[in-house]
Amino acid sequence: MSKNLWQNQDFEKNKKYWSAKDHSESLKIRIENLSIVNNILQKNNIFFFLEGQTLNHVFKNNCLDPSDHDDDIGVYYKDRKKILRLDNIFSKNGFEIIRINDTMISVCRLYRYIDICLFKNYLLSTGYGNKKFPKKYYLKFSTLIFENIEFKIPNNTEKFLNTRYEIK
């Protein structure tokens, strides 16, 4: 798989590009991207869930954060190779894989990207890279419907988000 992967400066250029645009243009693309990725992963039996600020904003406000530069979903690391084998399906849907590493795969369509965070289970925690969270939130998942798209979210999401973002 020969890829034209993005470097750090490419992510910075992307952030600057969208910061100068009208948010409504970006939000439309982001919702479409989440819907397409949702369909691809579901059709290929890959379990995933909303993650990071995407989860935080959608759960609390029922909308994407207009100022966020990316969207985030989580999958379990065991599905990493399975996702990479979907390269042709992503391409047919207008996506390009722009980042591949041990903790994340990023896919981009219409210059908006989604980080697919590769979660691993540990003895008492679940997470990716340096981000580890109490395992209890990842033992069960709830369902959240956003823009007529069904997403899984960690168990007891409100408490989890308050803990994660240290809101008291």
Side-chain angles (χ1 to χ4, degrees):
M1 172 185 317
S2 157
K3 293 260 141 237
N4 183 17
L5 300 179
W6 284 18
Q7 304 300 316
N8 285 340
Q9 66 268 18
D10 296 310
F11 289 96
E12 286 303 315
K13 280 186 216 170
N14 179 275
K15 199 173 186 177
K16 279 185 182 172
Y17 173 83
W18 284 108
S19 68
K21 294 273 192 187
D22 182 83
H23 290 307
S24 62
E25 179 183 352
S26 171
L27 289 171
K28 182 177 184 288
I29 294 167
R30 291 169 64 196
I31 292 165
E32 288 172 357
N33 284 356
L34 285 168
S35 178
I36 295 166
V37 169
N38 180 5
N39 289 336
I40 291 169
L41 296 180
Q42 279 189 3
K43 284 180 185 170
N44 288 277
N45 298 313
I46 297 172
F47 178 81
F48 70 98
F49 47 92
L50 289 182
E51 161 51 13
Q53 286 296 342
T54 305
L55 169 64
N56 190 34
H57 215 77
V58 168
F59 181 79
K60 291 180 176 177
N61 305 294
N62 197 35
C63 65
L64 295 170
D65 179 351
S67 65
D68 202 352
H69 62 281
D70 68 354
D71 294 302
D72 307 291
I73 62 172
V75 301
Y76 286 102
Y77 187 86
K78 68 178 181 60
D79 288 323
R80 182 179 186 272
K81 287 181 182 175
K82 202 171 176 183
I83 291 169
L84 292 173
R85 285 193 295 263
L86 298 175
D87 185 37
N88 287 337
I89 294 171
F90 280 117
S91 292
K92 286 177 188 171
N93 284 278
F95 283 94
E96 177 183 6
I97 295 177
I98 59 169
R99 173 171 34 202
I100 303 169
N101 61 43
D102 204 44
T103 62
M104 191 176 300
I105 298 168
S106 299
V107 295
C108 185
R109 177 182 159 272
L110 299 176
Y111 217 49
R112 289 302 316 204
Y113 65 96
I114 296 175
D115 287 336
I116 303 171
C117 306
L118 302 170
F119 278 67
K120 293 180 181 176
N121 284 313
Y122 301 95
L123 184 61
L124 299 173
S125 64
T126 298
Y128 64 99
N130 294 325
K131 298 182 179 184
K132 306 284 188 299
F133 314 106
K135 193 175 199 165
K136 65 182 179 182
Y137 297 113
Y138 293 91
L139 297 175
K140 286 179 167 176
F141 289 81
S142 302
T143 299
L144 178 143
I145 297 176
F146 168 66
E147 294 287 332
N148 296 317
I149 309 164
E150 190 173 291
F151 293 102
K152 295 298 180 191
I153 57 175
N155 191 37
N156 201 349
T157 305
E158 186 169 4
K159 187 173 182 183
F160 166 65
L161 291 171
N162 289 342
T163 302
R164 180 170 179 173
Y165 295 107
E166 299 178 352
I167 300 166
K168 299 198 181 255

